[in-house]
Amino acid sequence: MNAQYTIILGAEGELGRAIAREVARKGCNLIIVSTTSVDLQRFAIGLQLKEDVQVEAVKLDLSDREAIQEFTGRVKSDFEIRALVNNIACDWSARHNNYIAELSIEDFQTRFRGAALITWNLLPEMAKLSSSYIQHIIPFPFRKEQFSPDMQHAVSKMYAFARELDEELKNTAVSVSLVHPAPVRQMVHQLELPRDISEEPGAITPGLIALKAVNGMLRGDRLIIPGFWNRVQFFLTRQATSWFRSDEEGFGSNLQPV
């Protein structure tokens, strides 16, 4: 019988690594995927030794459909995937002082198509399990922070796709959740921690977001917004935020974000 694993797609940044740590603490094996040139092998070895779980580090070019097909084929053959965390949109690397997506050679549209293909390829096997989870990390511009037009476009696509997937899987054993943290870039800059993100009591840090994201996913929560004031701000401003009113369709159905 294949061992159960969680895939984190986009584990290079502060939030991706924090989610990997939280999943490992719960005793789950991991496949952490770098979608850029960032090498996660050292991080994987350290996490494996610390938490006594199996961690495989992979680099994957989201523009290479053949590589994606090979990756998902091997994963389906060798592993039982219990959860897929999609974190390709707006994670931030303190080490590189840049958005993860901007470290990649692909544009946002290409990255999104690659992530969507991975999701659809893995979904049939995940749906066979008694319970499985798909989570999308989609930052929301709280407190007037704005994304660039390209990044806003990517976030809009991710939101539409997540909503479509949620609708299609509503009556299945696959739980779909959306996490809306504040942009990680502002979070890191506010903490003034250039490399390592430590835990400060009461602070909304990548580690705290990861804790709430993973716990909420396992509970079956459909919407996860870490931080009380972030939740208030989200519900007050979401209708006025352009990517909630996007007319663009995602891939795989005709549903649009509302």
Side-chain angles (χ1 to χ4, degrees):
M1 179 178 177
N2 294 342
Q4 291 186 348
Y5 278 73
T6 290
I7 294 177
I8 300 178
L9 186 60
E12 305 100 305
E14 308 307 332
L15 184 53
R17 290 174 188 243
I19 293 171
R21 293 186 190 101
E22 190 58 39
V23 171
R25 287 189 193 111
K26 295 186 182 302
C28 185
N29 300 317
L30 280 159
I31 300 172
I32 53 175
V33 181
S34 170
T35 61
T36 65
S37 61
V38 176
D39 193 338
L40 291 171
Q41 191 61 47
R42 181 177 295 181
F43 174 72
I45 293 171
L47 194 58
Q48 182 168 292
L49 293 175
K50 182 178 180 180
E51 302 297 343
D52 194 26
V53 295
Q54 296 299 309
V55 184
E56 179 167 337
V58 177
K59 283 186 183 180
L60 187 61
D61 181 352
L62 292 180
S63 68
D64 188 336
R65 294 180 66 88
E66 184 175 337
I68 289 173
Q69 298 289 5
E70 181 180 340
F71 168 72
T72 54
R74 182 174 69 86
V75 163
K76 289 188 290 185
S77 172
D78 297 345
F79 307 101
E80 184 176 281
I81 303 304
R82 192 67 177 271
L84 170 64
V85 178
N86 192 333
N87 184 46
I88 67 160
C90 303
D91 204 353
W92 178 261
S93 170
R95 182 174 298 276
H96 294 87
N97 197 35
N98 211 338
Y99 285 108
I100 292 300
E102 293 175 348
L103 296 175
S104 71
I105 60 173
E106 310 94 15
D107 57 27
F108 288 109
Q109 178 97 335
T110 300
R111 286 174 61 79
F112 171 77
R113 288 181 180 274
L117 180 58
I118 291 169
T119 304
W120 288 123
N121 283 358
L122 295 178
L123 188 55
E125 295 302 316
M126 294 178 69
K128 294 176 182 178
L129 303 177
S130 59
S131 62
S132 57
Y133 309 90
I134 297 175
Q135 184 170 86
H136 298 275
I137 312 293
I138 307 178
F140 185 84
F142 297 103
R143 301 184 184 91
K144 300 182 179 179
E145 289 98 346
Q146 297 297 318
F147 298 138
S148 69
D150 284 347
M151 193 167 292
Q152 181 174 307
H153 179 73
V155 167
S156 175
K157 285 285 191 184
M158 288 301 303
Y159 181 76
F161 178 68
R163 291 294 300 270
E164 293 163 3
L165 200 61
D166 183 39
E167 185 68 24
E168 292 191 21
L169 298 176
K170 190 171 291 184
N171 297 316
T172 72
V174 183
S175 172
V176 179
S177 59
L178 279 169
V179 182
H180 291 315
V184 179
R185 174 186 179 181
Q186 280 80 12
M187 188 187 309
V188 172
H189 286 179
Q190 288 166 4
L191 290 172
E192 295 183 349
L193 299 172
R195 288 187 181 274
D196 297 321
I197 307 303
S198 64
E199 298 301 327
E200 296 184 0
I204 300 294
T205 64
L208 181 58
I209 291 172
L211 174 65
K212 292 183 178 295
V214 174
N215 286 346
M217 176 179 70
L218 296 176
R219 283 195 305 266
D221 296 348
R222 297 174 69 191
L223 180 62
I224 304 163
I225 305 174
F228 173 77
W229 290 113
N230 282 347
R231 290 193 291 275
V232 171
Q233 190 74 6
F234 174 83
F235 289 109
L236 287 176
T237 62
R238 63 175 177 168
Q239 294 302 326
T241 303
S242 61
W243 59 270
F244 274 88
R245 297 180 286 107
S246 170
D247 292 330
E248 295 193 72
E249 297 179 1
F251 300 99
S253 79
N254 293 321
L255 293 178
Q256 300 176 6
V258 295

